[in-house]
Amino acid sequence: MAARTYPISLLFFVVLLHAARFGESESFIGVNYGQVADNLPPPPATAKLLQSTSIQKVRLYGSDPALIKSLANTGIGIVIGAANGDIPALANDPNFAKSWVSTNVVPFYPDSKIILITVGNEVMTSNDQNLMSQLLPAMQNVQNALNAVSLGDKIKVSTVHSMGVLKTSEPPSTGSFHPSLSDLLKGLLGFNNGTGSPFAINPYPYFAYRSDPRPETLAFCLFQPNAGRFDSNTKIKYMNMFDAQVDAVHSALNSMGFKNVEIVVAETGWPYKGDSNEVAPSVENAKAYNGNLIAHLRSMVGTPLMPGKSVDTYLFALYDEDLKPGPASERAFGLFKTDLSMNYDVGLSKSSQTPATPKTPVSPSPKPKKGGLWCVPKSGVSDSQLQANLDYACGHGIDCGPIQPGGPCFEPNTVASHAAYAMNLFYQNSDRNPWNCDFSQTATLSSDNPSYKNCIYPSGSS
């Protein structure tokens, strides 16, 4: 990436915009609230918990009136769902759709900020041809019912898909839908496009790793330093599975002529425990995936094919659901326990979002300290690998403010320069263990101080 220069006024605007974005909210971070459980906290307690976090949206699989009411006047966006079983009635009886909206939307809006209604969940991969053919008429009738109460331009209507609607997803540029679904999907996408509603999908790198449990696949799925995967069509090297899956969906939409339909990640997550024969679930993996995903979203980098904007993403899930069938991992996706404590910390709490300011040398002199050691990239490392190192380091609690616009280390504005600063700071903040200056064998320790001008690289003695 070539260095770029910006007018002072533009830099000031970018800094203000950055501050305003994070000061107000992180509207791209949502969470799923599943209710297949018998031990969930009272709805007011859940509303209070959500308000203590940076989560700005919550997705319900139904339309629990107690929870919707508890979220009134919180500013939290609410996605409500019509069940698969309601689709035939919604499709065939406009009055049923009007009644559904009158019961589940009108009494609560606008105090409760309902933003989206999802009609059905993963219907297109259900193999129920009757349900699949009735999905679009059901969505149209819900939209018409919203229009009838003057809410059609305020609340969107869509449905949620599994990644199974794609026939091809690797490499991402070849993403395409199953031909057998194309006619039905064209109708649904025409509806999305015409109403401005999103294409909602459930990408799970967890399932990709479970079917391919190699160490390099795990690092790719967890946003950790890895060799990356090269898309020869676009000449893009993907450094994480999430971006690859989302871009595959983008390519599939583009191939059908709907590249402007917004993508929303309706579910994604990683279980923190499982049965003894399950290789993927662990607290370490769940914390890495969700924590690094949140850091990636906060970076506003976007994906290679959709840069500069974070996709709205609903983490799965707020709580464990103890009545879910299947392996133990199905009951262990929760970010929080039902006693409202964390299962593990991924930096969502408003009280824990500001990382500690790293210690820096008192003297601004760029001259080497005796015995000082700095973690620096090896020569010849690709920009894509350096970007992965940068994402990893900044996603693990270090203060990357100095390499943001207006910071003392922002210039030169290159991936190499920014990665070098972040990699060193990560090493210094990790007790200066040599293995924390490895980055998949792309970094080394040096006694040459890389500090320059007012950009000071912290150091430690050997």
Side-chain angles (χ1 to χ4, degrees):
M1 180 186 295
R4 285 168 273 174
T5 57
Y6 301 94
I8 295 294
S9 58
L10 179 58
L11 283 178
F12 182 65
F13 173 75
V14 170
V15 172
L16 281 180
L17 188 64
H18 183 80
R21 179 187 295 135
F22 288 95
E24 271 179 26
S25 69
E26 292 174 338
S27 60
F28 42 80
I29 298 178
V31 72
N32 285 271
Y33 177 82
Q35 293 180 280
V36 187
D38 60 5
N39 60 349
L40 295 175
T46 292
K48 188 174 180 180
L49 171 65
L50 289 169
Q51 287 180 284
S52 73
T53 72
S54 56
I55 295 168
Q56 288 295 310
K57 297 175 181 175
V58 61
R59 178 189 169 209
L60 314 184
Y61 291 83
S63 51
D64 180 359
L67 186 59
I68 295 171
K69 192 171 182 179
S70 294
L71 291 168
N73 303 310
T74 62
I76 294 172
I78 307 166
V79 178
I80 61 174
N84 288 6
D86 287 333
I87 290 174
L90 289 170
N92 296 309
D93 186 356
N95 287 326
F96 182 84
K98 289 180 180 178
S99 175
W100 194 95
V101 167
S102 295
T103 301
N104 297 297
V105 178
V106 174
F108 309 107
Y109 188 90
D111 291 348
S112 296
K113 189 180 173 183
I114 299 170
I115 57 174
L116 177 67
I117 299 171
T118 57
V119 179
N121 188 50
E122 301 189 349
V123 173
M124 298 304 291
T125 47
S126 68
N127 292 321
D128 185 331
Q129 296 298 322
N130 185 48
L131 211 58
M132 292 161 64
S133 64
Q134 291 182 315
L135 179 56
L136 178 56
M139 291 165 59
Q140 290 169 329
N141 281 341
V142 172
Q143 181 69 54
N144 291 337
L146 288 172
N147 294 343
V149 292
S150 302
L151 294 178
D153 61 341
K154 298 177 176 67
I155 300 172
K156 302 299 182 183
V157 178
S158 192
T159 189
V160 178
H161 304 280
S162 78
M163 287 292 286
V165 296
L166 295 185
K167 179 183 180 183
T168 306
S169 61
E170 292 186 59
S173 62
T174 65
S176 62
F177 294 114
H178 273 286
S180 61
L181 301 177
S182 62
D183 288 343
L184 290 173
L185 283 171
K186 280 179 182 175
L188 294 172
L189 288 167
F191 176 89
N192 292 141
N193 191 54
T195 62
S197 66
F199 182 83
I201 195 152
N202 299 337
Y204 275 93
Y206 162 68
F207 292 117
Y209 172 63
R210 200 173 68 172
S211 63
D212 179 19
R214 294 176 296 163
E216 56 266 38
T217 305
L218 183 61
F220 188 65
C221 289
L222 298 182
F223 298 84
Q224 293 174 338
N226 65 91
R229 297 185 181 180
F230 186 68
D231 187 329
S232 59
N233 297 316
T234 57
K235 310 304 180 188
I236 292 169
K237 181 181 279 190
Y238 283 83
M239 301 309 298
N240 67 79
M241 179 69 80
F242 180 84
D243 281 356
Q245 290 186 329
V246 171
D247 273 358
V249 175
H250 176 75
S251 295
L253 292 174
N254 189 31
S255 71
M256 291 189 74
F258 294 101
K259 68 177 181 180
N260 293 325
V261 170
E262 177 191 4
I263 296 170
V264 163
V265 172
E267 282 182 30
T268 191
W270 200 289
Y272 64 88
K273 66 179 179 181
D275 292 321
S276 58
N277 62 343
E278 294 187 87
V279 297
S282 72
V283 170
E284 182 182 10
N285 288 349
K287 184 174 181 178
Y289 178 71
N290 286 310
N292 289 338
L293 171 59
I294 290 166
H296 185 55
L297 295 171
R298 285 174 174 163
S299 76
M300 302 300 289
V301 169
T303 71
L305 296 184
M306 295 182 291
K309 178 185 181 295
S310 290
V311 173
D312 282 5
T313 299
Y314 292 78
L315 304 172
F316 188 85
L318 185 60
Y319 302 121
D320 291 336
E321 296 175 83
D322 66 327
L323 299 182
K324 268 197 164 184
S329 58
E330 285 294 313
R331 297 176 290 282
F333 276 87
L335 296 169
F336 292 89
K337 299 176 183 177
T338 52
D339 65 3
L340 307 180
S341 63
M342 297 180 204
N343 275 318
Y344 51 89
D345 187 1
V346 290
L348 285 172
S349 171
K350 286 179 179 175
S351 62
S352 68
Q353 286 182 63
T354 305
T357 302
K359 296 179 180 179
T360 56
V362 175
S363 169
S365 169
K367 294 180 180 179
K369 287 172 55 179
K370 183 178 180 181
L373 286 175
W374 292 264
C375 180
V376 297
K378 293 179 180 177
S379 62
V381 179
S382 68
D383 274 2
S384 58
Q385 180 64 59
L386 290 172
Q387 182 66 57
N389 295 352
L390 174 62
D391 290 344
Y392 179 77
C394 290
H396 279 73
I398 66 169
D399 179 12
C400 286
I403 55 176
Q404 297 298 319
C409 303
F410 177 66
E411 295 291 354
N413 179 22
T414 64
V415 171
S417 179
H418 292 177
Y421 181 88
M423 291 161 66
N424 177 67
L425 190 54
F426 176 81
Y427 163 72
Q428 304 295 344
N429 283 16
S430 303
D431 298 325
R432 304 184 182 106
N433 296 310
W435 53 86
N436 292 125
C437 182
D438 179 74
F439 293 93
S440 297
Q441 300 181 1
T442 63
T444 187
L445 291 172
S446 171
S447 59
D448 293 330
N449 190 341
S451 301
Y452 58 94
K453 295 184 180 179
N454 292 323
C455 179
I456 310 303
Y457 281 57
S459 70
S461 58
S462 55

